[in-house]
Amino acid sequence: MTRKAILRGVGHYLPDRVVENAEMETMVDTTDAWIKSRSGIERRHFAAEGQLTSDLAIKAANAALEDAGFSADQIDAVVVATSTPDTTFPSVGTIVQGALGTQGFAFDVQAVCAGFVYAMSTANAFITSGQANRVLVIGAETFSRIMNWEDRTTCVLFGDGAGAVVLEGGDGDAGILSTDLNSDGQYRDLLYVDGGVSSTQTTGVLVMQGKEVFRHAVEKLAQTAETALEKAGLSSDDVDWIVPHQANSRIITRTAQKMGVSMDRVVMTVQDHGNTSAASIPLALSVAKSEGKFKPGQVIVMEAIGGGLAWGAVVLRL
Ligand code: UT7
């Protein structure tokens, strides 16, 4: 039996402040009807002033640890997926480690909206190679801090939040069955932040060619999910749940259609969270678990795409 990374716990945290589409109407030239019909988003959460990405990550991590029944000192690696760290360095991972008292090592992975899939794949590699046994994988973002509030085509789409999972090495049928990672740097201008340490010495704001990203998403997400399933020796028929990156309900629906998976097997939280980038998949996982959706033995496919472009998928048996 080969060693696998088994899902032991899931948790999430959303900041208290909920911003409904109606409030967006007071901030930019937009309408609830446009946002809902083009993206599926109805509301999003924004972090409070002074509330940092690591604050959200720590709360989500504590919830996942509690769900797993582990104490922080039983964790030997922390991998945080984020593009909105508290500061340029140290990593959010080490801030979480310092706050919780986890053992071993901690660091960040930056693959924008595909970050959680990349972080899961990284954690899986540590576990299957024996370099770590219990890994906390977190997706945490404060995208509200990198919005251009003059650009109605992007600022209505994003939100803040964090989700976390605890993975543990073990034998048996359950665990991560396969991962598939891809990127293509020729598309870097489709989705980027126009500032940074080495270029402008400012944080910058998000810039997106939404239509183009949409086109790539629809094409590439089903492709990577199917490749990951093939690597696991499975097909779409074996999928109990798709837990997709939550950017746009139309992308989620079209990807499921392409894969031949009915919508009652797709977890959708974009209406309540907006696009929380690397946090969106673990947030959706945690919400679905708390609603009692998951059963032991079920197969989950997670898929995501974002800036880079970077995209990928993870197949997990519960
Ligand atoms: O998470 C990382 C990956 N990101 C994504 O997956 C996002 C991918 N893209 C999308 O989700 C969609 O492309 C958007 C939701 C961003 C936009 O939807 P769309 O159907 O592609 O709309 P569009 O950009 O073609 O805009 C259609 C119209 C335009 O007006 P005209 O030129 O047709 O007169 C826009 O000016 O909608 C207008 N528009 C708005 N109207 C009201 C754009 N933003 C807004 C707005 N409110 N907020």
Side-chain angles (χ1 to χ4, degrees):
M1 198 60 80
T2 50
R3 188 176 156 81
K4 293 199 196 72
I6 302 165
L7 184 74
R8 295 297 192 206
V10 186
H12 74 270
Y13 175 76
L14 288 158
D16 291 341
R17 184 165 175 231
V18 179
V19 179
E20 300 283 344
N21 286 349
E23 188 175 343
M24 280 289 163
E25 290 178 352
T26 68
M27 295 158 79
V28 281
D29 178 19
T30 192
T31 61
D32 170 49
W34 188 93
I35 301 171
K36 257 202 290 226
S37 68
R38 304 319 294 159
S39 72
I41 297 164
E42 296 174 29
R43 59 192 65 80
R44 71 289 288 145
H45 293 245
F46 283 171
E49 213 183 309
Q51 194 174 32
L52 308 181
T53 294
S54 64
D55 296 326
L56 313 187
I58 289 162
K59 284 194 156 75
N62 274 323
L65 285 170
E66 195 183 326
D67 189 45
F70 292 160
S71 57
D73 62 2
Q74 291 177 296
I75 297 294
D76 44 32
V78 178
V79 185
V80 177
T82 189
S83 301
T84 47
D86 300 6
T87 50
T88 303
F89 71 78
S91 65
V92 174
T94 54
I95 297 169
V96 171
Q97 182 186 33
L100 297 182
T102 58
Q103 304 294 310
F105 58 94
F107 63 100
D108 292 356
V109 163
Q110 203 268 61
V112 205
C113 296
F116 188 73
V117 163
Y118 272 64
M120 287 288 270
S121 185
T122 305
N124 183 49
F126 283 128
I127 288 172
T128 54
S129 65
Q131 290 184 78
N133 189 41
R134 290 187 180 134
V135 184
L136 191 52
V137 185
I138 305 169
E141 303 280 15
T142 47
F143 258 56
S144 65
R145 305 266 157 76
I146 52 164
M147 288 299 106
N148 174 0
W149 295 105
E150 316 262 278
D151 178 10
R152 68 175 184 167
T153 69
T154 55
C155 72
V156 300
L157 302 174
F158 293 86
D160 303 336
V165 302
V166 177
L167 298 175
E168 183 183 31
D171 298 328
D173 294 332
I176 293 179
L177 304 180
S178 65
T179 67
D180 183 59
L181 301 183
N182 311 268
S183 63
D184 191 339
Q186 73 171 306
Y187 298 119
R188 68 176 295 278
D189 292 340
L190 296 187
L191 177 50
Y192 63 96
V193 167
D194 67 358
V197 183
S198 174
S199 52
T200 58
Q201 296 84 57
T202 61
T203 309
V205 291
L206 182 143
V207 182
M208 176 166 72
Q209 292 182 41
K211 247 193 182 3
E212 277 300 296
V213 176
F214 191 103
R215 196 174 61 75
H216 283 285
V218 167
E219 174 203 313
K220 292 180 167 60
L221 287 173
Q223 216 169 62
T224 184
E226 274 159 9
T227 303
L229 281 165
E230 212 175 286
K231 287 183 188 177
L234 300 174
S235 76
S236 296
D237 295 340
D238 302 306
V239 174
D240 293 292
W241 296 102
I242 300 179
V243 183
H245 170 46
Q246 308 284 324
N248 186 314
S249 59
R250 291 185 295 139
I251 295 174
I252 293 171
T253 307
R254 284 211 211 161
T255 304
Q257 271 168 359
K258 274 196 158 199
M259 291 175 66
V261 173
S262 60
M263 284 310 287
D264 58 353
R265 290 192 280 149
V266 179
V267 175
M268 183 97 84
T269 52
V270 68
Q271 67 281 0
D272 295 324
H273 303 164
N275 183 345
T276 58
S277 194
S280 92
I281 289 179
L283 264 167
L285 266 179
S286 179
V287 168
K289 188 178 179 199
S290 69
E291 289 171 349
K293 285 201 160 93
F294 300 147
K295 305 276 178 290
Q298 288 189 330
V299 171
I300 295 179
V301 179
M302 300 164 229
E303 33 89 343
I305 186 165
L309 294 175
W311 66 102
V314 174
V315 179
L316 171 83
R317 192 187 296 279
L318 293 171

